[in-house]
Amino acid sequence: MRRGGVDRAAWAGIVNAALDTIPRRNKAQFARDVGVDIKTVRRWLEQEVDVSEESVREVARVFDLNTTQLLIDVGFYSHDDLGVAVPSDLPAEDEESIRMIMASDLPEDVKSDLVGEIRRLQQQHVDERASFAERLLAMARRVARPT
């Protein structure tokens, strides 16, 4: 585990992102799925308590996330601790950016924040492309309909 402990802000962001996938952001459903008390979910979101490694692993399992990357993002381990490379499913420019950050002399919590921002921007870009594709499909359907 890194010296500064769990990155509560990063964990709250991960929980928020997971809640976004549940209808009406149902915290009770999230708690049941992950096997924790709803009060724990609230405390995670308010950054009042650390998450256990076991809970991180369970969230990864339930939401089909990369367990290793999640443990790194939350601060339990670093890439060096686990001997893993930056995930190769990222676009080349994101991989290089993350490599630069991880190789820097910045504190681990700052590195984690920067990597989290890259991941947030990457997801935003994916969402924007999907939205654009949906608009294109809608326009194409209107044009393709016989009148």
Side-chain angles (χ1 to χ4, degrees), residues 15 27 37-49:
V15 171
K27 291 181 186 91
D37 190 277
I38 192 166
K39 291 177 188 174
T40 301
V41 175
R42 182 190 55 77
R43 290 177 181 136
W44 285 341
L45 291 169
E46 293 176 7
Q47 302 176 34
E48 294 176 355
V49 296

PDB file of all heavy atoms in Angstrom, residues 15 27 37-49:
ATOM      1  N   VAL A  15     -16.755   5.040  -7.387  1.00  0.00           N
ATOM      2  CA  VAL A  15     -18.097   4.683  -6.908  1.00  0.00           C
ATOM      3  C   VAL A  15     -19.143   5.510  -7.651  1.00  0.00           C
ATOM      4  O   VAL A  15     -20.172   4.977  -8.088  1.00  0.00           O
ATOM      5  CB  VAL A  15     -18.210   4.877  -5.376  1.00  0.00           C
ATOM      6  CG1 VAL A  15     -19.649   4.714  -4.908  1.00  0.00           C
ATOM      7  CG2 VAL A  15     -17.293   3.897  -4.652  1.00  0.00           C
ATOM      8  N   LYS A  27     -28.188   3.766  -4.608  1.00  0.00           N
ATOM      9  CA  LYS A  27     -27.103   3.402  -3.692  1.00  0.00           C
ATOM     10  C   LYS A  27     -27.398   2.096  -2.957  1.00  0.00           C
ATOM     11  O   LYS A  27     -26.479   1.324  -2.677  1.00  0.00           O
ATOM     12  CB  LYS A  27     -26.861   4.534  -2.691  1.00  0.00           C
ATOM     13  CG  LYS A  27     -26.265   5.770  -3.305  1.00  0.00           C
ATOM     14  CD  LYS A  27     -26.021   6.835  -2.241  1.00  0.00           C
ATOM     15  CE  LYS A  27     -25.564   8.124  -2.859  1.00  0.00           C
ATOM     16  NZ  LYS A  27     -26.647   9.023  -3.174  1.00  0.00           N
ATOM     17  N   ASP A  37     -22.821  -2.237   3.528  1.00  0.00           N
ATOM     18  CA  ASP A  37     -23.941  -1.467   4.057  1.00  0.00           C
ATOM     19  C   ASP A  37     -24.072  -0.168   3.262  1.00  0.00           C
ATOM     20  O   ASP A  37     -23.074   0.400   2.825  1.00  0.00           O
ATOM     21  CB  ASP A  37     -23.667  -1.164   5.541  1.00  0.00           C
ATOM     22  CG  ASP A  37     -24.886  -0.592   6.223  1.00  0.00           C
ATOM     23  OD1 ASP A  37     -25.094   0.640   6.098  1.00  0.00           O
ATOM     24  OD2 ASP A  37     -25.601  -1.354   6.876  1.00  0.00           O
ATOM     25  N   ILE A  38     -25.292   0.293   3.105  1.00  0.00           N
ATOM     26  CA  ILE A  38     -25.506   1.540   2.371  1.00  0.00           C
ATOM     27  C   ILE A  38     -24.791   2.714   3.048  1.00  0.00           C
ATOM     28  O   ILE A  38     -24.348   3.651   2.390  1.00  0.00           O
ATOM     29  CB  ILE A  38     -27.009   1.832   2.165  1.00  0.00           C
ATOM     30  CG1 ILE A  38     -27.182   2.975   1.158  1.00  0.00           C
ATOM     31  CG2 ILE A  38     -27.692   2.112   3.479  1.00  0.00           C
ATOM     32  CD1 ILE A  38     -28.587   3.120   0.638  1.00  0.00           C
ATOM     33  N   LYS A  39     -24.641   2.657   4.369  1.00  0.00           N
ATOM     34  CA  LYS A  39     -23.905   3.706   5.086  1.00  0.00           C
ATOM     35  C   LYS A  39     -22.451   3.750   4.631  1.00  0.00           C
ATOM     36  O   LYS A  39     -21.849   4.820   4.545  1.00  0.00           O
ATOM     37  CB  LYS A  39     -23.960   3.479   6.597  1.00  0.00           C
ATOM     38  CG  LYS A  39     -25.319   3.682   7.207  1.00  0.00           C
ATOM     39  CD  LYS A  39     -25.293   3.353   8.683  1.00  0.00           C
ATOM     40  CE  LYS A  39     -26.691   3.356   9.260  1.00  0.00           C
ATOM     41  NZ  LYS A  39     -26.701   2.905  10.654  1.00  0.00           N
ATOM     42  N   THR A  40     -21.901   2.600   4.328  1.00  0.00           N
ATOM     43  CA  THR A  40     -20.526   2.540   3.834  1.00  0.00           C
ATOM     44  C   THR A  40     -20.417   3.247   2.491  1.00  0.00           C
ATOM     45  O   THR A  40     -19.468   4.003   2.250  1.00  0.00           O
ATOM     46  CB  THR A  40     -20.062   1.073   3.714  1.00  0.00           C
ATOM     47  OG1 THR A  40     -20.153   0.470   5.003  1.00  0.00           O
ATOM     48  CG2 THR A  40     -18.650   0.977   3.180  1.00  0.00           C
ATOM     49  N   VAL A  41     -21.389   3.025   1.627  1.00  0.00           N
ATOM     50  CA  VAL A  41     -21.388   3.685   0.313  1.00  0.00           C
ATOM     51  C   VAL A  41     -21.422   5.201   0.507  1.00  0.00           C
ATOM     52  O   VAL A  41     -20.660   5.936  -0.131  1.00  0.00           O
ATOM     53  CB  VAL A  41     -22.569   3.201  -0.555  1.00  0.00           C
ATOM     54  CG1 VAL A  41     -22.630   3.966  -1.863  1.00  0.00           C
ATOM     55  CG2 VAL A  41     -22.470   1.696  -0.802  1.00  0.00           C
ATOM     56  N   ARG A  42     -22.305   5.663   1.396  1.00  0.00           N
ATOM     57  CA  ARG A  42     -22.383   7.103   1.658  1.00  0.00           C
ATOM     58  C   ARG A  42     -21.052   7.631   2.176  1.00  0.00           C
ATOM     59  O   ARG A  42     -20.568   8.667   1.738  1.00  0.00           O
ATOM     60  CB  ARG A  42     -23.490   7.401   2.681  1.00  0.00           C
ATOM     61  CG  ARG A  42     -23.653   8.904   2.974  1.00  0.00           C
ATOM     62  CD  ARG A  42     -24.586   9.176   4.153  1.00  0.00           C
ATOM     63  NE  ARG A  42     -24.216   8.495   5.387  1.00  0.00           N
ATOM     64  CZ  ARG A  42     -23.222   8.878   6.198  1.00  0.00           C
ATOM     65  NH1 ARG A  42     -22.478   9.907   5.908  1.00  0.00           N
ATOM     66  NH2 ARG A  42     -22.963   8.197   7.308  1.00  0.00           N
ATOM     67  N   ARG A  43     -20.419   6.897   3.073  1.00  0.00           N
ATOM     68  CA  ARG A  43     -19.133   7.323   3.644  1.00  0.00           C
ATOM     69  C   ARG A  43     -18.035   7.329   2.592  1.00  0.00           C
ATOM     70  O   ARG A  43     -17.153   8.179   2.620  1.00  0.00           O
ATOM     71  CB  ARG A  43     -18.758   6.437   4.819  1.00  0.00           C
ATOM     72  CG  ARG A  43     -19.659   6.664   6.020  1.00  0.00           C
ATOM     73  CD  ARG A  43     -19.326   5.729   7.159  1.00  0.00           C
ATOM     74  NE  ARG A  43     -20.217   5.943   8.281  1.00  0.00           N
ATOM     75  CZ  ARG A  43     -20.781   4.968   8.976  1.00  0.00           C
ATOM     76  NH1 ARG A  43     -20.518   3.703   8.706  1.00  0.00           N
ATOM     77  NH2 ARG A  43     -21.595   5.249   9.965  1.00  0.00           N
ATOM     78  N   TRP A  44     -18.077   6.371   1.665  1.00  0.00           N
ATOM     79  CA  TRP A  44     -17.105   6.380   0.564  1.00  0.00           C
ATOM     80  C   TRP A  44     -17.298   7.630  -0.290  1.00  0.00           C
ATOM     81  O   TRP A  44     -16.341   8.299  -0.639  1.00  0.00           O
ATOM     82  CB  TRP A  44     -17.282   5.158  -0.324  1.00  0.00           C
ATOM     83  CG  TRP A  44     -16.780   3.866   0.242  1.00  0.00           C
ATOM     84  CD1 TRP A  44     -15.884   3.689   1.265  1.00  0.00           C
ATOM     85  CD2 TRP A  44     -17.140   2.560  -0.202  1.00  0.00           C
ATOM     86  NE1 TRP A  44     -15.670   2.352   1.479  1.00  0.00           N
ATOM     87  CE2 TRP A  44     -16.422   1.635   0.598  1.00  0.00           C
ATOM     88  CE3 TRP A  44     -17.986   2.078  -1.193  1.00  0.00           C
ATOM     89  CZ2 TRP A  44     -16.538   0.263   0.412  1.00  0.00           C
ATOM     90  CZ3 TRP A  44     -18.106   0.716  -1.364  1.00  0.00           C
ATOM     91  CH2 TRP A  44     -17.389  -0.180  -0.564  1.00  0.00           C
ATOM     92  N   LEU A  45     -18.566   7.907  -0.630  1.00  0.00           N
ATOM     93  CA  LEU A  45     -18.847   9.064  -1.485  1.00  0.00           C
ATOM     94  C   LEU A  45     -18.466  10.380  -0.816  1.00  0.00           C
ATOM     95  O   LEU A  45     -18.051  11.325  -1.487  1.00  0.00           O
ATOM     96  CB  LEU A  45     -20.326   9.078  -1.890  1.00  0.00           C
ATOM     97  CG  LEU A  45     -20.736   7.957  -2.840  1.00  0.00           C
ATOM     98  CD1 LEU A  45     -22.250   7.899  -2.969  1.00  0.00           C
ATOM     99  CD2 LEU A  45     -20.079   8.141  -4.200  1.00  0.00           C
ATOM    100  N   GLU A  46     -18.614  10.433   0.489  1.00  0.00           N
ATOM    101  CA  GLU A  46     -18.252  11.646   1.233  1.00  0.00           C
ATOM    102  C   GLU A  46     -16.789  11.635   1.667  1.00  0.00           C
ATOM    103  O   GLU A  46     -16.344  12.541   2.380  1.00  0.00           O
ATOM    104  CB  GLU A  46     -19.195  11.802   2.424  1.00  0.00           C
ATOM    105  CG  GLU A  46     -20.629  12.085   1.980  1.00  0.00           C
ATOM    106  CD  GLU A  46     -21.613  12.160   3.130  1.00  0.00           C
ATOM    107  OE1 GLU A  46     -21.191  12.121   4.305  1.00  0.00           O
ATOM    108  OE2 GLU A  46     -22.820  12.250   2.849  1.00  0.00           O
ATOM    109  N   GLN A  47     -16.054  10.599   1.240  1.00  0.00           N
ATOM    110  CA  GLN A  47     -14.623  10.473   1.502  1.00  0.00           C
ATOM    111  C   GLN A  47     -14.304  10.479   3.001  1.00  0.00           C
ATOM    112  O   GLN A  47     -13.306  11.029   3.434  1.00  0.00           O
ATOM    113  CB  GLN A  47     -13.839  11.563   0.765  1.00  0.00           C
ATOM    114  CG  GLN A  47     -14.057  11.535  -0.727  1.00  0.00           C
ATOM    115  CD  GLN A  47     -13.375  12.658  -1.447  1.00  0.00           C
ATOM    116  OE1 GLN A  47     -12.301  13.096  -1.062  1.00  0.00           O
ATOM    117  NE2 GLN A  47     -13.999  13.139  -2.516  1.00  0.00           N
ATOM    118  N   GLU A  48     -15.173   9.824   3.773  1.00  0.00           N
ATOM    119  CA  GLU A  48     -14.999   9.775   5.233  1.00  0.00           C
ATOM    120  C   GLU A  48     -14.179   8.578   5.687  1.00  0.00           C
ATOM    121  O   GLU A  48     -13.588   8.615   6.763  1.00  0.00           O
ATOM    122  CB  GLU A  48     -16.370   9.724   5.923  1.00  0.00           C
ATOM    123  CG  GLU A  48     -17.199  10.969   5.743  1.00  0.00           C
ATOM    124  CD  GLU A  48     -18.587  10.828   6.361  1.00  0.00           C
ATOM    125  OE1 GLU A  48     -18.942   9.731   6.854  1.00  0.00           O
ATOM    126  OE2 GLU A  48     -19.323  11.824   6.333  1.00  0.00           O
ATOM    127  N   VAL A  49     -14.192   7.506   4.895  1.00  0.00           N
ATOM    128  CA  VAL A  49     -13.500   6.280   5.298  1.00  0.00           C
ATOM    129  C   VAL A  49     -12.737   5.700   4.109  1.00  0.00           C
ATOM    130  O   VAL A  49     -13.073   5.941   2.950  1.00  0.00           O
ATOM    131  CB  VAL A  49     -14.482   5.211   5.838  1.00  0.00           C
ATOM    132  CG1 VAL A  49     -15.178   5.675   7.100  1.00  0.00           C
ATOM    133  CG2 VAL A  49     -15.502   4.809   4.785  1.00  0.00           C
TER     134      VAL A  49
END
